[in-house]
Amino acid sequence: MTHHEHPDAALVRRGYEAFIAGDMDTVASLLTSDCTHHVPGESQMSGHFKGRDNVLAMYAQLFDKTNGTFRVELKGIYPDGRGHVMSVHTWHADRGDRGIEVNGGLFFTVVGGKFSDIDECVEDIAEVDAFWDQSD
């Protein structure tokens, strides 16, 4: 069986590859100007980040607050063919004297070949909150 990747899935794959490589110019080019990334929980990294610049600033904080140890392993990409894509991944990071490994995923809304909305889900919200809110 031949696998043909849906264009929306290819877009998500390109976004992950750019994010993993630290290529924020490419990531920026994949976001609509009014894109929103929704992060669950109650930590300093939680909230609704509205607008491309705010989303990119939040991504920069992921790396800054973990001294560059934040990394993502993509596990799967699942398009619905109607402008939505789910991805699953595991992210790892170290902060202070603590490391974390979390399974999670993103739910993308694609409009005009760009991400207009990104909803994030994580396996253990309380654990993620504790990781981000520990003292620096």
Side-chain angles (χ1 to χ4, degrees), residues 45-104:
M45 295 302 295
S46 300
H48 306 283
F49 299 87
K50 297 177 183 181
R52 181 187 300 124
D53 291 343
N54 290 326
V55 172
L56 293 171
M58 184 267 290
Y59 294 164
Q61 286 293 306
L62 296 174
F63 294 103
D64 290 345
K65 290 186 177 298
T66 62
N67 292 317
T69 65
F70 189 90
R71 65 193 188 283
V72 178
E73 294 175 49
L74 180 62
K75 304 291 186 179
I77 300 173
Y78 311 103
D80 72 355
R82 298 182 320 265
H84 302 102
V85 181
M86 289 186 336
S87 65
V88 293
H89 58 251
T90 301
W91 64 265
H92 312 261
D94 296 310
R95 187 159 192 265
D97 62 354
R98 183 175 187 173
I100 192 169
E101 177 177 299
V102 176
N103 294 316

Side-chain angles (χ1 to χ4, degrees), residues 32-47:
T32 62
S33 63
D34 61 348
C35 179
T36 302
H37 186 133
H38 309 274
V39 181
E42 307 268 334
S43 79
Q44 63 178 317
M45 295 302 295
S46 300

